[in-house]
Amino acid sequence: QVQLVESGGGLVQGGGSLRLSCAASGRTLRSYSMGWFRQAPGEEREFVAAITRNPEATYYADSVKGRFTISRDDAKNTVYLQMNTLKPEDAAVYYCAAEFLLRGAYYLSHSYDYWGQGTQVTVAS
């Protein structure tokens, strides 16, 4: 069992930055592929970013590419999402997800078995 806890959300002005963290317990994330997804009220959950293993790579949704950066610190068993130049349309609940053997597409939520509780990001315009 992998437990994921997101943190770092909050209220930020448009153009500002936030750094989200996803801390894992129960198992090491060293061998897991990780994803960040977000969901705004009344909307579908959408892919934001992923960092995969075998092959090791990072991926981003077109809407955040160039502004967001996903990274991991294996020593801390934590995955991060650095969000810069935030826009009002970035406001959502952000979820961290993990999958040991990523057989599905990294951008599909059902490819991941483990999820955090989410952290709210609000962007004031």
Side-chain angles (χ1 to χ4, degrees), residues 66-95:
R67 299 187 297 120
F68 291 11
T69 303
I70 188 171
S71 62
R72 69 165 81 219
D73 187 336
D74 288 339
K76 297 181 178 179
N77 213 27
T78 300
V79 175
Y80 303 96
L81 184 68
Q82 178 67 45
M83 306 187 295
N84 297 328
T85 319
L86 283 161
K87 305 174 180 179
E89 52 262 43
D90 294 319
V93 177
Y94 282 71
Y95 297 92

Side-chain angles (χ1 to χ4, degrees), residues 19-34:
R19 186 176 180 87
L20 306 184
S21 298
C22 174
S25 62
R27 294 183 181 181
T28 178
L29 296 181
R30 184 178 60 250
S31 299
Y32 284 74
S33 293
M34 306 294 299

Side-chain angles (χ1 to χ4, degrees), residues 34-39 44-52 58-65 68 70 81 94-95 97 102 105-109 112 115:
M34 306 294 299
W36 284 98
F37 293 77
R38 66 188 183 188
Q39 187 168 22
E44 296 181 352
R45 185 169 299 185
E46 66 174 345
F47 167 75
V48 177
I51 183 165
T52 61
T58 57
Y59 304 92
Y60 299 93
D62 289 343
S63 59
V64 307
K65 196 169 187 176
F68 291 11
I70 188 171
L81 184 68
Y94 282 71
Y95 297 92
L102 188 65
Y106 59 83
Y107 53 84
L108 296 176
S109 60
Y112 299 84
W115 293 83

